[in-house]
Amino acid sequence: RALDRPLSPSYVSLDASRPWIIYWSLHSLDLLDGLPEEVLMLNIVKAIESLWSESLVSLPSGELNDDPLLGGKGNVDGDIVQMIGGGFGGNVGQMAHCATSYAAVLALCTVYGAGAESSEPSSQ
């Protein structure tokens, strides 16, 4: 039930840890085989989506020429390549960071995994 309510004021210091709190809560519930129903899981995905922030990334073109995934992508402006990038912030409006992005992706994987398990055909 704690996933569908805001945290109490005493947890204000955890404002930038929202993806981690979501992940830790989901992971704990998953270990106890008690993940919430689909409606709440969809709300969790919406909450995580609200943490996404897009940014323009500028990289030296020399670093991207040999890259099999990024080579030839982005807008080339002289020696600089500009690409749209982004990640998940600690809370709405906060700058994206690799640690909070990692926690957000782990939480999304937990939600996806729960959906994949429930959509498998029964062997009975």
Side-chain angles (χ1 to χ4, degrees), residues 99-112:
T100 52
S101 293
Y102 179 65
V105 169
L106 288 173
L108 291 172
C109 287
T110 303
V111 170
Y112 177 78

Side-chain angles (χ1 to χ4, degrees), residues 27-111:
H27 184 64
S28 299
L29 289 170
D30 191 23
L31 290 174
L32 296 170
D33 200 25
L35 285 171
E37 63 279 353
E38 185 177 348
V39 173
L40 184 54
M41 295 287 252
L42 291 173
N43 287 338
I44 290 169
V45 171
K46 288 178 187 174
I48 292 172
E49 283 177 345
S50 72
L51 305 177
W52 177 261
S53 64
E54 211 166 79
S55 60
L56 186 63
V57 179
S58 298
L59 301 167
S61 60
E63 290 183 18
L64 298 178
N65 289 339
D66 297 328
D67 191 296
L69 296 174
L70 299 176
K73 297 191 178 181
N75 298 326
V76 180
D77 183 21
D79 292 335
I80 301 292
V81 177
Q82 293 186 330
M83 306 174 78
I84 299 293
F88 295 94
N91 209 337
V92 178
Q94 293 184 356
M95 190 166 82
H97 186 274
C98 63
T100 52
S101 293
Y102 179 65
V105 169
L106 288 173
L108 291 172
C109 287
T110 303
V111 170

